[in-house]
Amino acid sequence: MKHKIWLLFILLLFITGCTTHKKQVETIIEKKNHIFVTINYPVSGIQKLDNQVKKEIQMRYQTFSEQQKEFVDIASKAELNIDYTIEEIEHRYISITLTIFSNSNLLANPITEIKTYVFDKKKKKFLTILNIIPEAQIKNVKEFITKDLKKNYKDCLLEDELAKTLKQWDQLQFTFDDETLTFYFNPYEIAAGYFNIIKVSIPIEHVGLLFDIEKGKTEPKWKEVEPTTKVIDPNKKSIAITFDDGPSKYTSELLDVLKTYDASGTFFVIGNKVEIYSDTMRRMVKEGNEIGNHSYNHKWLTRVTQQEFDHQINQTQDIIKKVTGFTPRLMRPTYGAVNEKVRHQTNLKVVMWTVDTRDWENKNVKSIIRKTLPNIQDGSIILMHDTKERTVEVLKKLLHELKKENYQFVTVSELEQIQTMKQNNYEK
Ligand code: ZN
C-alpha cells in the first residue's frame, strides 16, 4: 500500500513538473527626476532560459544607468523601455523577443533594438537557425531576405553589411510560429539612418522546417464574465482604491484581501501583461472590480506621437475586452505624466489620485499606513502599486483601519456615481 502511495506521488510530481511551467512577468518601474525606466520581461519557469533573459535585462539596465550618470547635467530627460513577447509552439519551442527602446537628450534619435531567444524545452537548449531549417534551404532563405530588404529599404540598405551579416548565418536573430519564420536586424546592422528594427517574415511553407509543426493556432476562446453586483450606499463615506502597473504575481492576493473586506478596487493595468494573467483578470471582473487602461507597455505618453499613443491605448482596450469582456472607460497616464495633449488624445476619462501611498518607494508598511491614513477622507482616490509584495500588507492594514471608520470601498466609476447622486440631491 505504502508503495502505491509513493508511486502516485512520484507520478504526480512527474506530471506537474514536466507539463506546466507557470509563466509570469517581472516589472521594474522607476522614476528619478526626468529619467524614466520601465522593464517588463517574461519568466518562463525554465531556469536556463530565464537566466539568459535576466542577464540581458541587467546588462541593458546597467548600460543605460551608467550613460545617464555620466551625462547627468546634460541628459535632463531620458527613457528606457523594455517590452517583450513570448510564444510557445507545440508545447515544446519557446520564442521570446525583448524590444529595447531608449531615448535621451544625448541621442539624436530614439533607438529601438531587439534581442530574440528560441528555446527547445525537450532538449533543454537554445536553437539557432541551423536547428530550424534544412541546409538545402539556406540559399533560398538568404535570397528571400535580400530581395525583401532591397524592395522595402532600398534608400538606406547597406548591401555589403547585409552580405556580411548573412554570412554569420548561425548568429541571426529570429523567431518562428506555426505560420512564419521572422528575421530581425538591429539599427546600424544593415541600414543607414534607420533607428528601428527591420523585420523580414517568410511563410513557413516556403522554407520547410526540420520538424513538423501543426498549422492553425488555437486562439483561446474566453466566455464573457458575469460581474457580481454589489450594493452601494450613497449615504456612506466612500473611497476608491486604485492599483497601477499590474497585473502581477501579487494581484490574486490583492483580490483575496479586497474580497475579505467586501471591497472593490480599480486596477489600471499594463496591456502586455493581461493575457499571461488572464485568470486573475477575469476574477477581477467577476468580483466586481473595475479595470482601467494604463497603456500597453508603459511608455512615457507625453513624449510619443499620436500614432504611438493610439497604439498604446487601443491595443490595451482590445486585449482587456478580449480576455475579460470588460471595456474600460478610464485611463491613468504612465508615470503620472499628463498634459492637455494626453487628455485630448483619448476618449477615456483620465483619472489621477488624491492620496499617494508611495508604496513603490517606502519599504516600511507601518510608516506607509501612518503617513497615508490622515490624508484619507470621504471621496478620496488612493494610489497603490500592483508590483510590490508589501502592497498586499498595506492594503490589509488600510482596509482594517478604514472599516472601523465606517468607510465603504468602491470603484472609481462607482465613486463618480455616488458623487453625482449627492449633487442631484443637493440641487433638489
Ligand atoms: Zn505606472
Side-chain angles (χ1 to χ4, degrees):
M1 188 62 195
K2 239 182 186 173
H3 269 98
K4 274 187 187 162
I5 293 172
W6 269 108
L7 264 173
L8 199 72
F9 181 68
I10 289 163
L11 191 74
L12 251 163
L13 257 181
F14 182 77
I15 294 167
T16 48
C18 284
T19 53
T20 47
H21 292 280
K22 188 101 181 115
K23 290 191 194 78
Q24 293 192 323
V25 187
E26 284 294 333
T27 300
I28 302 166
I29 295 179
E30 289 176 1
K31 179 181 165 183
K32 277 181 208 148
N33 301 320
H34 289 286
I35 299 171
F36 291 177
V37 174
T38 293
I39 300 173
N40 285 302
Y41 67 94
V43 179
S44 65
I46 301 159
Q47 212 172 18
K48 198 172 173 185
L49 174 59
D50 292 343
N51 285 348
Q52 283 304 311
V53 172
K54 206 169 172 187
K55 223 163 103 184
E56 180 74 21
I57 296 290
Q58 281 166 343
M59 190 270 285
R60 296 282 180 171
Y61 178 78
Q62 207 171 346
T63 312
F64 177 81
S65 305
E66 272 160 22
Q67 275 168 0
Q68 298 318 315
K69 237 183 265 163
E70 226 173 283
F71 298 95
V72 75
D73 300 330
I74 326 163
S76 59
K77 282 181 180 166
E79 181 180 8
L80 172 69
N81 186 291
I82 304 184
D83 194 8
Y84 76 95
T85 62
I86 180 165
E87 188 148 12
E88 194 164 333
I89 304 109
E90 296 278 297
H91 302 291
R92 175 165 175 183
Y93 307 100
I94 300 185
S95 278
I96 289 179
T97 67
L98 297 176
T99 306
I100 304 111
F101 169 89
S102 55
N103 192 8
S104 91
N105 292 9
L106 305 170
L107 299 168
N109 295 285
I111 296 179
T112 308
E113 295 166 273
I114 195 159
K115 174 84 190 162
T116 65
Y117 304 86
V118 177
F119 193 81
D120 182 343
K121 272 165 72 173
K122 197 172 168 193
K123 290 190 175 162
K124 293 191 175 68
K125 66 171 205 171
F126 288 94
L127 303 182
T128 74
I129 192 66
L130 292 168
N131 305 117
I132 302 278
I133 61 172
E135 222 175 314
Q137 282 294 331
I138 294 177
K139 200 167 159 255
N140 282 347
V141 173
K142 282 185 183 177
E143 276 171 13
F144 187 104
I145 294 175
T146 311
K147 216 172 130 191
D148 185 277
L149 290 172
K150 276 186 180 168
K151 193 175 116 205
N152 293 316
Y153 299 91
K154 64 169 184 277
D155 295 333
C156 56
L157 190 67
L158 304 166
E159 287 188 37
D160 290 350
E161 295 302 315
L162 174 64
K164 261 190 242 164
T165 305
L166 290 182
K167 249 185 203 160
Q168 292 174 314
W169 180 242
D170 60 334
Q171 286 170 38
L172 286 190
Q173 300 217 76
F174 73 98
T175 57
F176 75 102
D177 59 23
D178 60 338
E179 283 173 358
T180 45
L181 180 63
T182 307
F183 293 91
Y184 305 86
F185 302 93
N186 273 316
Y188 310 120
E189 207 178 340
I190 54 158
Y194 193 82
F195 306 101
N196 219 326
I197 301 152
I198 291 180
K199 258 199 232 182
V200 181
S201 289
I202 309 178
I204 271 180
E205 60 237 36
H206 277 35
V207 195
L209 300 183
L210 280 170
F211 42 83
D212 287 333
I213 52 172
E214 210 173 306
K215 252 188 86 101
K217 254 180 262 169
T218 39
E219 277 259 325
K221 281 234 173 348
W222 285 285
K223 274 193 202 148
E224 203 148 319
V225 191
E226 191 78 46
T228 351
T229 37
K230 286 185 181 166
V231 187
I232 309 163
D233 181 352
N235 300 312
K236 227 174 164 182
K237 286 193 292 181
S238 315
I239 57 164
I241 300 175
T242 66
F243 305 91
D244 283 10
D245 303 337
S248 74
K249 57 184 166 193
Y250 308 115
T251 317
S252 60
E253 286 176 66
L254 291 174
L255 292 174
D256 291 342
V257 179
L258 288 171
K259 203 175 170 188
T260 310
Y261 285 89
D262 197 22
S264 302
T266 305
F267 291 82
F268 289 96
V269 301
I270 301 176
N272 72 4
K273 298 196 282 183
V274 166
E275 210 160 343
I276 282 193
Y277 293 103
S278 56
D279 291 345
T280 312
M281 292 295 301
R282 292 168 61 76
R283 184 183 159 199
M284 209 180 265
V285 173
K286 190 163 190 281
E287 293 178 1
N289 301 286
E290 183 167 16
I291 303 174
N293 190 321
H294 196 45
S295 86
Y296 193 72
N297 58 25
H298 212 266
K299 278 253 173 80
W300 188 351
L301 292 178
T302 50
R303 304 253 291 177
V304 299
T305 60
Q306 173 78 49
Q307 195 192 5
E308 171 70 15
F309 184 91
D310 290 344
H311 171 79
Q312 290 281 333
I313 299 300
N314 297 341
Q315 240 190 322
T316 306
Q317 290 294 99
D318 291 349
I319 190 74
I320 294 170
K321 170 87 182 143
K322 193 172 95 179
V323 171
T324 69
F326 184 90
T327 306
R329 54 173 290 271
L330 311 173
M331 84 85 101
R332 176 164 286 159
T334 52
Y335 303 106
V338 67
N339 57 16
E340 276 315 296
K341 205 177 118 206
V342 166
R343 287 184 199 275
H344 279 116
Q345 267 169 333
T346 171
N347 295 325
L348 301 180
K349 181 167 182 191
V350 173
V351 177
M352 303 302 273
W353 57 87
T354 60
V355 180
D356 185 354
T357 58
R358 301 193 81 80
D359 58 343
W360 54 277
E361 178 191 52
N362 190 342
K363 293 193 172 80
N364 186 310
V365 174
K366 268 190 186 158
S367 136
I368 294 174
I369 299 293
R370 186 162 34 83
K371 287 178 181 164
T372 307
L373 269 179
N375 298 325
I376 295 174
Q377 55 181 350
D378 186 19
S380 287
I381 298 179
I382 297 161
L383 170 65
M384 298 177 91
H385 291 84
D386 185 357
T387 48
K388 301 272 186 248
E389 196 175 0
R390 58 180 168 269
T391 299
V392 178
E393 222 34 58
V394 172
L395 181 68
K396 249 185 233 170
K397 294 222 156 66
L398 208 60
L399 292 183
H400 178 76
E401 291 303 319
L402 292 170
K403 194 95 191 168
K404 286 194 263 181
E405 294 181 37
N406 252 330
Y407 274 101
Q408 66 181 344
F409 313 104
V410 297
T411 66
V412 170
S413 288
E414 286 163 352
L415 190 66
E416 280 177 7
Q417 284 164 23
I418 293 171
Q419 280 161 349
T420 317
M421 276 155 83
K422 277 185 182 163
Q423 211 160 6
N424 288 347
N425 279 345
Y426 180 76
E427 275 162 14
K428 273 178 207 162

